[in-house]
Amino acid sequence: MQFKSFDTNIEVIGQTVFAIVDGLGHFKSFSKKYLLSVGIGIEKDGQLELDPNAWYSQDAWLVAFEKISKDIGNSVLFNIGSSIPKNAIFPPFVKDIESAIMSIDIAYHMNHRINGKEMFNPATGAMMEGIGHYKTEKVSEREVKVICENPYP
């Protein structure tokens, strides 16, 4: 279900949270309002400060998404989603668009943890369940269908 986490113990890494800041484009200052209102980040010298290595509540992050959607509109959510690749952690084997598409589910799990445990271990390839998945299906040589089973808009 959109905007509702699958488990209240899920967290997202701070580096990925920067996607909201980037996705708001010329209105980056609004990110402070939305993120601070849900307890993500701190205000320092009038600015939003996020720790890229800290873990933040996915529930809170989803509330921020929902507030942005209601207040500003879904087109901004598209911009935020487009900012994820430059803010999220991706596996080191990603070198081109094909390997990037195939790694979406791995990257998704690398940027989340549950009960304090990261949901993908790059050393072993072990992936934990609990946040849903991104699945890809090749439609043709130039088209891939992405199936998103997760709480994000």
Side-chain angles (χ1 to χ4, degrees):
M1 181 184 299
Q2 196 170 355
F3 303 120
K4 304 292 179 212
S5 70
F6 297 162
D7 187 309
T8 59
N9 296 310
I10 298 171
E11 296 171 305
V12 62
I13 195 158
Q15 181 173 333
T16 302
V17 175
F18 279 104
I20 284 183
V21 177
D22 286 346
L24 287 168
H26 297 305
F27 305 101
K28 288 182 184 192
S29 61
F30 286 127
S31 63
K32 179 175 99 171
K33 168 188 166 185
Y34 290 105
L35 293 173
L36 290 176
S37 76
V38 297
I40 294 179
I42 60 170
E43 186 171 1
K44 187 174 181 181
D45 299 324
Q47 299 295 317
L48 172 68
E49 188 172 291
L50 292 171
D51 180 350
N53 298 310
W55 292 92
Y56 298 100
S57 162
Q58 184 190 42
D59 281 334
W61 200 38
L62 288 166
V63 169
F65 272 107
E66 190 168 26
K67 287 180 177 187
I68 291 167
S69 174
K70 287 178 182 172
D71 293 353
I72 304 174
N74 288 330
S75 62
V76 174
L77 296 182
F78 180 84
N79 292 343
I80 293 169
S82 297
S83 297
I84 294 287
K86 72 178 183 179
N87 288 288
I89 300 166
F90 273 81
F93 63 82
V94 174
K95 304 286 186 236
D96 55 24
I97 189 68
E98 188 171 312
S99 61
I101 289 170
M102 301 311 287
S103 73
I104 292 171
D105 195 46
I106 292 171
Y108 175 51
H109 282 75
M110 288 177 75
N111 288 275
H112 291 82
R113 71 180 189 180
I114 188 166
N115 297 320
K117 295 181 182 176
E118 293 181 31
M119 299 191 76
F120 182 80
N121 182 331
T124 66
M127 182 181 291
M128 295 175 67
E129 294 297 324
I131 59 171
H133 290 278
Y134 282 86
K135 298 176 184 172
T136 56
E137 293 177 5
K138 188 172 184 174
V139 176
S140 68
E141 272 311 303
R142 300 182 58 129
E143 185 177 357
V144 175
K145 179 179 178 181
V146 179
I147 302 158
C148 308
E149 297 169 343
N150 63 66
Y152 291 105

